[in-house]
Amino acid sequence: MDADDKLTSDILAALACMPFERQAEAMRDSVSTGLKHLSTQRLCEIRRRIELEMDETNPAVRTTMELIDGQLALREIAGGAFWR
């Protein structure tokens, strides 16, 4: 298991211990900052993997997809500008 998979597994395990209704908020808080530091290619890979492997009706999964989509949209709007 590479470092990214280990981190993802640890985050998901921690979220699974939380009440279902708090998972989306916790996911948003824990993931939003990190997304800014990932390459666009890596974001797209993660998005595809989530789409294939996870249930998008889960609020935590849906929130993560929205964060990734928002990050990708901001990058497209910003072009090559450094805005982080």
Side-chain angles (χ1 to χ4, degrees):
M1 179 181 298
D2 68 19
D4 290 335
D5 288 339
K6 174 75 171 113
L7 176 62
T8 302
S9 294
D10 290 347
I11 290 170
L12 293 175
L15 288 171
C17 296
M18 299 181 77
F20 187 73
E21 56 278 354
R22 295 228 31 245
Q23 289 179 2
E25 180 183 340
M27 178 65 84
R28 182 195 69 230
D29 293 343
S30 65
V31 172
S32 61
T33 301
L35 292 179
K36 294 179 183 179
H37 302 286
L38 296 173
S39 69
T40 300
Q41 178 182 355
R42 184 69 175 137
L43 281 174
C44 290
E45 290 170 8
I46 291 168
R47 190 185 190 295
R48 278 191 295 275
R49 186 171 171 188
I50 290 170
E51 258 183 334
L52 293 173
E53 298 177 14
M54 303 184 115
D55 178 9
E56 287 189 57
T57 61
N58 180 307
V61 174
R62 188 173 49 249
T63 296
T64 302
M65 292 293 279
E66 290 170 359
L67 287 169
I68 291 171
D69 289 343
Q71 184 64 217
L72 291 170
L74 284 172
R75 289 178 186 202
E76 188 172 324
I77 291 167
F82 184 77
W83 47 271
R84 296 181 201 150

